[in-house]
Structure formats: C-alpha cells, structure tokens
Amino acid sequence: MISSKGKVRGLVTVTVRDCNGNVKYYKNGFWRRVLRLPEKPMIFKHHNTITNQGDGMIADLMISNPTLTKVDATNGYMRVGTGWTGSTPKNNTGVNTPTGSFKKLDSTFPKTQAAFGSSGQNVVLYRTSFAAGDLNANGINEVALMNGNTSSAKCLAYAQITPAVNVTSADSLQIDWQITFNGA
C-alpha cells in the first residue's frame, strides 16, 4: 500500500521599518541592558495555518473549471488585525479584529521561489507592503491572505504575528508569506 504524507505549510515573515526604510529595533529592557545584549530587530517569522476555506480553494484549482477566485496578482490581498486568539485558526475566514484596510499584493507577486524543474518550484511567495501612513496601530498580532478586498473574500491562509508589533503612521510593514507544497 502506498500512502502520501503530503503537506501544505507556510511561513510568514513580518518586518517593521522606520520612516527611512531601516529595520526598527526594540528598545532593550532592564535585563538586556544589564547583560549588554544588542537590541532585537523587528523581524519575526511564524508558521501559518491553511484555513478550511484555503483547503477548498486549493482543491478548486485542481479541477478543469475552477469556480473560486485565485489569490493572484489581480485578486491577492492581505489584512492585518489585533485579535489573535489561537482558539480556531483553521476556521478563520479573515482576521478577527481588522486594523487598517485590505492591502494588495506587491506588483511582482505571487510567484514561485524557483523556475519549474528547480529546487523551490513548489514554493509560492506572496508579499504585501504597507507604506508609511497605511497603518497606525498597536498590538498587530494576526494576518490573513485573502482572494479579494471585500467581506465576501475567502481566506487562503491565516497566521499569528508574534510578538505583536506596533506600527506608527511613520512606519512601514512588510509581510512576506511563503507556502510550500510537499507531495512526499
């Protein structure tokens, strides 16, 4: 008997930059100052959850006449929020507590990490950049990858941002999302 251990998994990288485009750093707390440790950059990586809606969207892509809108260069958006609870991320249909607006994927995304036949051909990359002025929120701790920018949009994937980030109106926020398909 043959069995597959195929998986779809993702990794989200969140980067906060200041008004000059430099990566921001956390100010050191008491112990980090005492131990003379360097400040930590505001770059965070976290795994994501392909949602129930996302499972359906992926299956829909495999049929001869897909009916659902793809998360593509025309219809791909991300939305951030402050309502991560961790209780049922697989069931999420978007962020729990939205902050700011839906933000379209950057112009050259989505794309594969490498050309067909090369290592990385099974990794899809998404990127959204919230420019200075797009956000002004404390405690951003969740993000959703969506197939549109309305209440009827479907959520392909959902992720926690940890630790939560604070983004002022002078800061920018870049979210890089990679989804890897393994059919092993």
Side-chain angles (χ1 to χ4, degrees), residues 9-10 15 35 53-54 92 94 123 126 157 167 170 175 179:
R9 52 190 172 86
T15 307
L35 297 173
Q53 286 183 339
N92 276 39
V123 180
Y126 303 87
V167 179
I175 301 174
I179 297 179

Side-chain angles (χ1 to χ4, degrees), residues 79-158:
R79 188 144 202 208
V80 296
T82 59
W84 167 263
T85 63
S87 56
T88 57
K90 184 77 174 163
N91 295 328
N92 276 39
T93 57
V95 294
N96 295 309
T97 308
T99 187
S101 302
F102 286 93
K103 188 68 174 176
K104 192 164 182 45
L105 296 179
D106 289 0
S107 65
T108 60
F109 291 86
K111 60 186 176 185
T112 56
Q113 189 175 53
F116 185 75
S118 302
S119 178
Q121 70 178 358
N122 60 322
V123 180
V124 181
L125 305 173
Y126 303 87
R127 176 180 287 163
T128 294
S129 300
F130 292 85
D134 286 347
L135 295 169
N136 188 13
N138 290 328
I140 296 173
N141 63 1
E142 59 178 341
V143 60
L145 180 58
M146 310 290 291
N147 73 345
N149 61 350
T150 67
S151 61
S152 63
K154 306 290 183 256
C155 182
L156 173 61
Y158 176 82

Side-chain angles (χ1 to χ4, degrees), residues 4-182:
S4 175
K5 295 180 181 163
K7 289 184 177 183
V8 179
R9 52 190 172 86
L11 182 66
V12 177
T13 304
V14 176
T15 307
V16 181
R17 299 179 191 280
D18 64 19
C19 61
N20 297 317
N22 301 312
V23 173
K24 288 184 73 172
Y25 285 80
Y26 281 110
K27 300 290 183 212
N28 277 345
F30 176 76
W31 287 112
R32 288 187 74 82
R33 283 193 311 266
V34 168
L35 297 173
R36 297 179 190 237
L37 297 172
E39 293 178 331
K40 292 175 68 174
M42 290 186 178
I43 300 175
F44 314 101
K45 294 185 179 197
H46 204 275
H47 294 283
N48 79 165
T49 299
I50 302 299
T51 64
N52 288 329
Q53 286 183 339
D55 289 340
M57 292 169 69
I58 293 167
D60 185 69
L61 289 172
M62 300 297 154
I63 63 175
S64 58
N65 294 311
T67 59
L68 298 174
T69 303
K70 293 182 355 180
V71 178
D72 59 15
T74 303
N75 301 299
Y77 289 83
M78 288 189 205
R79 188 144 202 208
V80 296
T82 59
W84 167 263
T85 63
S87 56
T88 57
K90 184 77 174 163
N91 295 328
N92 276 39
T93 57
V95 294
N96 295 309
T97 308
T99 187
S101 302
F102 286 93
K103 188 68 174 176
K104 192 164 182 45
L105 296 179
D106 289 0
S107 65
T108 60
F109 291 86
K111 60 186 176 185
T112 56
Q113 189 175 53
F116 185 75
S118 302
S119 178
Q121 70 178 358
N122 60 322
V123 180
V124 181
L125 305 173
Y126 303 87
R127 176 180 287 163
T128 294
S129 300
F130 292 85
D134 286 347
L135 295 169
N136 188 13
N138 290 328
I140 296 173
N141 63 1
E142 59 178 341
V143 60
L145 180 58
M146 310 290 291
N147 73 345
N149 61 350
T150 67
S151 61
S152 63
K154 306 290 183 256
C155 182
L156 173 61
Y158 176 82
Q160 177 183 17
I161 297 173
T162 184
V165 296
N166 300 330
V167 179
T168 70
S169 60
D171 299 333
S172 62
L173 178 68
Q174 178 179 308
I175 301 174
D176 289 289
W177 207 311
Q178 68 181 40
I179 297 179
T180 303
F181 298 86
N182 287 326

